[in-house]
Amino acid sequence: MPELPEVASRAKEIQKHLVGRTIKDIEVLQPKCLNLQEARFKKALKGARILEIGHRGKWIQVRTTQGWLLL
Protein backbone atom coordinates (compact mmCIF):
# COMPACT_ATOMS: atom_id res chain seq x y z
CA MET A 1 0.00 0.00 0.00
CA PRO A 2 1.51 3.35 -1.02
CA GLU A 3 1.93 6.13 1.53
CA LEU A 4 -0.08 9.35 1.23
CA PRO A 5 2.79 11.51 -0.17
CA GLU A 6 3.32 8.94 -2.94
CA VAL A 7 -0.38 9.03 -3.85
CA ALA A 8 -0.35 12.84 -3.97
CA SER A 9 2.77 12.80 -6.14
CA ARG A 10 1.30 10.26 -8.59
CA ALA A 11 -1.97 12.21 -8.83
CA LYS A 12 -0.02 15.37 -9.79
CA GLU A 13 1.98 13.45 -12.41
CA ILE A 14 -1.16 11.91 -13.90
CA GLN A 15 -2.92 15.32 -13.86
CA LYS A 16 -0.08 16.82 -15.91
CA HIS A 17 -0.23 14.17 -18.64
CA LEU A 18 -3.83 13.00 -18.91
CA VAL A 19 -6.21 15.95 -18.39
CA GLY A 20 -8.00 16.73 -21.64
CA ARG A 21 -7.31 13.32 -23.15
CA THR A 22 -9.96 10.79 -24.15
CA ILE A 23 -10.16 7.18 -22.97
CA LYS A 24 -10.12 5.17 -26.20
CA ASP A 25 -9.70 1.66 -24.81
CA ILE A 26 -9.53 -0.07 -21.44
CA GLU A 27 -7.60 -3.15 -20.38
CA VAL A 28 -8.77 -4.69 -17.11
CA LEU A 29 -6.03 -6.76 -15.50
CA GLN A 30 -7.96 -7.74 -12.36
CA PRO A 31 -11.69 -7.95 -13.14
CA LYS A 32 -12.44 -9.21 -9.61
CA CYS A 33 -11.54 -5.73 -8.34
CA LEU A 34 -14.40 -4.12 -10.25
CA ASN A 35 -17.76 -3.47 -8.61
CA LEU A 36 -19.61 -4.24 -11.87
CA GLN A 37 -19.24 -6.46 -14.91
CA GLU A 38 -16.12 -5.83 -16.98
CA ALA A 39 -18.12 -5.15 -20.18
CA ARG A 40 -20.28 -2.57 -18.38
CA PHE A 41 -17.21 -0.90 -16.88
CA LYS A 42 -15.55 -0.58 -20.28
CA LYS A 43 -18.73 0.71 -21.91
CA ALA A 44 -19.22 3.30 -19.17
CA LEU A 45 -15.74 4.82 -19.58
CA LYS A 46 -14.94 4.34 -23.25
CA GLY A 47 -14.95 7.72 -24.98
CA ALA A 48 -14.87 9.69 -21.72
CA ARG A 49 -12.68 12.77 -21.59
CA ILE A 50 -10.54 13.25 -18.49
CA LEU A 51 -11.41 16.56 -16.81
CA GLU A 52 -9.34 16.58 -13.63
CA ILE A 53 -7.34 14.33 -11.36
CA GLY A 54 -6.82 14.67 -7.64
CA HIS A 55 -6.59 12.58 -4.53
CA ARG A 56 -8.41 12.08 -1.29
CA GLY A 57 -6.59 10.01 1.25
CA LYS A 58 -5.02 7.08 -0.57
CA TRP A 59 -7.48 7.23 -3.49
CA ILE A 60 -6.69 8.86 -6.82
CA GLN A 61 -9.89 10.46 -8.12
CA VAL A 62 -10.34 10.86 -11.87
CA ARG A 63 -13.25 13.06 -12.98
CA THR A 64 -14.37 12.34 -16.52
CA THR A 65 -17.18 13.56 -18.73
CA GLN A 66 -18.94 10.28 -17.91
CA GLY A 67 -18.45 10.15 -14.15
CA TRP A 68 -15.76 9.42 -11.59
CA LEU A 69 -13.08 6.74 -11.56
CA LEU A 70 -11.41 5.86 -8.24
CA LEU A 71 -7.97 4.28 -8.30
Side-chain angles (χ1 to χ4, degrees), residues 5-16:
E6 293 172 292
V7 174
S9 174
R10 293 295 163 248
K12 284 181 186 177
E13 286 177 25
I14 294 169
Q15 169 92 10
K16 231 185 322 187

Side-chain angles (χ1 to χ4, degrees), residues 3-66:
E3 295 299 323
L4 186 57
E6 293 172 292
V7 174
S9 174
R10 293 295 163 248
K12 284 181 186 177
E13 286 177 25
I14 294 169
Q15 169 92 10
K16 231 185 322 187
H17 296 285
L18 295 184
V19 168
R21 299 186 90 177
T22 301
I23 299 172
K24 293 184 179 178
D25 198 18
I26 299 167
E27 179 182 5
V28 178
L29 300 177
Q30 295 181 332
K32 289 182 181 181
C33 293
L34 297 175
N35 61 351
L36 68 157
Q37 295 172 338
E38 185 176 342
R40 243 178 106 195
F41 177 76
K42 288 181 175 185
K43 184 179 178 184
L45 280 175
K46 214 169 193 183
R49 197 166 48 93
I50 297 172
L51 302 174
E52 74 176 296
I53 298 171
H55 73 93
R56 183 170 180 108
K58 292 188 177 185
W59 287 97
I60 293 178
Q61 300 174 321
V62 181
R63 186 168 67 95
T64 75
T65 54
Q66 295 173 204

